[in-house]
């Protein structure tokens, strides 16, 4: 997900309506962030294409990019490691599945551990 705002047209190339506005048609606004107890987050471990290093992945967050960034920042600080937030997925460096699960459950999120 790019942070730059791009105009996205839904296939409409021309309109005979003089009051038609392309922006109103396609602008749905920010995605509303669900409450923590309504989020269904998945915590998994990934080693693929990372030179053998393990990364904890948190997927399934529904909401705005700012809320996702703040959740990622909180998890990175509590685990004391680095990581990033890319394309709706939080990446935490290292195998911190149990710690992340404890933190998410303590914060009121519904989280499940997926994969091995």
């Amino acid at each position: 997900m790019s942070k730059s705002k791009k105009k996205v047209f839904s296939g409409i190339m021309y309109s005979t309506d003089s009051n038609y506005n392309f922006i109103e048609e396609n602008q749905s606004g920010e995605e509303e962030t669900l409450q923590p107890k309504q989020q269904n987050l998945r915590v998994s471990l990934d080693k693929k294409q990372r030179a053998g290093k393990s990364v904890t992945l948190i997927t399934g967050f529904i909401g705005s990019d700012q809320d996702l960034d703040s959740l990622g920042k909180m998890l990175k600080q509590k685990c004391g490691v680095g990581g990033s937030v890319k394309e709706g997925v939080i990446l935490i460096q290292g195998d911190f599945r149990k710690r992340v699960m404890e933190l998410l459950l303590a914060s009121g999120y519904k989280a499940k551990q997926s994969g091995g």
Side-chain angles (χ1 to χ4, degrees), residues 19-95:
N19 296 327
Y20 184 78
N21 189 354
F22 287 104
I23 296 172
E24 289 177 9
E25 174 80 16
N26 298 310
Q27 189 175 16
S28 61
E30 283 277 326
E31 189 172 357
E32 186 175 324
T33 303
L34 294 177
Q35 295 295 319
K37 58 187 171 187
Q38 294 176 333
Q39 298 277 359
N40 291 316
L41 302 179
R42 297 279 182 179
V43 180
S44 61
L45 185 70
D46 187 27
K47 293 183 183 180
K48 297 177 182 172
Q49 299 177 354
R50 301 185 197 283
K53 298 183 178 164
S54 57
V55 174
T56 304
L57 299 174
I58 298 97
T59 58
F61 185 85
I62 299 172
S64 67
D65 290 339
Q66 291 85 11
D67 293 334
L68 182 64
D69 288 337
S70 65
L71 177 62
K73 183 176 181 180
M74 184 270 295
L75 291 173
K76 291 186 290 185
Q77 286 178 346
K78 298 282 185 177
C79 291
V81 294
S84 64
V85 178
K86 294 181 181 177
E87 300 174 2
V89 177
I90 301 172
L91 301 146
I92 305 291
Q93 295 174 352
D95 186 0

Side-chain angles (χ1 to χ4, degrees), residues 4-21:
S4 65
K5 294 184 179 184
K6 298 179 183 176
K7 289 185 180 179
V8 179
F9 300 109
S10 62
I12 298 173
M13 300 174 92
Y14 180 79
S15 176
T16 57
D17 184 9
S18 60
N19 296 327
Y20 184 78
N21 189 354

